[in-house]
Amino acid sequence: MIIAIDGPAASGKGTVARALAARFGLPHLDTGLLYRAVGFAALTRGLDLEDAAALAALAAGLDLAAFDPEALKSGPVGEAASRVAALPQVRAALLKLQRDFAARPGGAVLDGRDIGTVIAPQAEVKIFVTASPEARAARRYRELSQRGEAVSETSVLEDIRRRDARDSGRASAPLVKALDAVELDNTALSAAESVARALEIVAARIAPPASGME
Ligand code: CDP
Ligand code: CDP
């Protein structure tokens, strides 16, 4: 079983993906970390974030295990990730790794922006997790301030809106709900309620309730 979770920044994709992976005993890949690792490495090396050839070479040689996951979670790294992710050459360099993960025997859970549309269009379950920009900014603000980053809620909301526009507006694998994805708007839900709703969506896909029409 492949479970594809997509959605905008700080919508709660990771929370849902981790919970489903644990519930079904499946491996989980947070594909945002791949783009964040490329962004982080590019910032560290002082690369131009528009130098597609250099960034694609970086992405092709990427070893995610070599990065400290905590270092990848910062605001500036998220912004750099979204910029490098707009380059088709970078996306192409990361494609095989993600497709191989999705094709693992027994299945997998992947979360990102283009899992249900590009990486695993054959996924049995697709969930598009979303929430209002204000709710997402409040969540991200809490996370970043807990990390000790000096941010304001207004600046986090601006960052989220800019990232939404870039991720949805790019030509290459834009953030878009797959036609066969189920939308989970968790603006008014707690993380636990969002996970419970995701479990219902999976259950309905795997064993749809009898229609009673036969
Ligand atoms: O955690 P958050 O939702 O803020 O972002 P993320 O999932 O870590 O992804 C960081 C950036 O990587 C996003 O803004 C996207 O531009 C890009 N990304 C992508 O293009 N495709 C994916 N499958 C995953 C992430
Ligand atoms: O992976 P993504 O960036 O989409 O979001 P996340 O890391 O799963 O969640 C961002 C934050 O929102 C975390 O601190 C969650 O606990 C919190 N949250 C949530 O995931 N779902 C809700 N319905 C409410 C809050």
Side-chain angles (χ1 to χ4, degrees), residues 5-18 30 36 73 111-113 129-131 135-136 138-140 142-143 146 163 184-195:
I5 314 283
D6 290 303
S11 56
K13 303 177 296 296
T15 301
V16 163
R18 278 189 299 275
D30 172 354
R36 283 175 177 265
K73 289 184 186 158
D111 75 277
R113 301 291 184 289
V129 182
T130 185
R136 291 185 284 121
R139 294 172 192 171
R140 188 48 50 89
R142 200 176 318 124
E143 287 179 334
Q146 272 167 10
R163 210 130 70 80
L184 196 177
D185 184 332
N186 62 27
T187 304
L189 303 183
S190 68
E193 288 167 339
S194 177
V195 167

Side-chain angles (χ1 to χ4, degrees), residues 97-135:
L97 187 160
Q98 298 175 81
R99 288 233 169 109
D100 287 350
F101 194 95
R104 285 189 176 197
V109 181
L110 292 89
D111 75 277
R113 301 291 184 289
D114 62 343
I115 309 303
T117 50
V118 173
I119 302 298
Q122 77 280 23
E124 283 81 4
V125 181
K126 299 182 186 179
I127 305 179
F128 192 81
V129 182
T130 185
S132 72
E134 291 76 12

Side-chain angles (χ1 to χ4, degrees), residues 3-87:
I3 302 181
I5 314 283
D6 290 303
S11 56
K13 303 177 296 296
T15 301
V16 163
R18 278 189 299 275
L20 294 181
R23 168 69 182 74
F24 297 105
L26 295 171
H28 165 227
L29 179 64
D30 172 354
T31 64
L33 285 183
L34 301 172
Y35 294 94
R36 283 175 177 265
V38 176
F40 178 84
L43 291 178
T44 313
R45 294 171 198 205
L47 291 181
D48 174 356
L49 294 183
E50 267 150 39
D51 185 344
L55 294 165
L58 197 59
L62 194 74
D63 174 15
L64 196 54
F67 292 85
D68 169 10
E70 276 308 307
L72 300 182
K73 289 184 186 158
S74 79
V77 170
E79 174 68 14
S82 144
R83 287 185 58 190
V84 302
L87 301 169

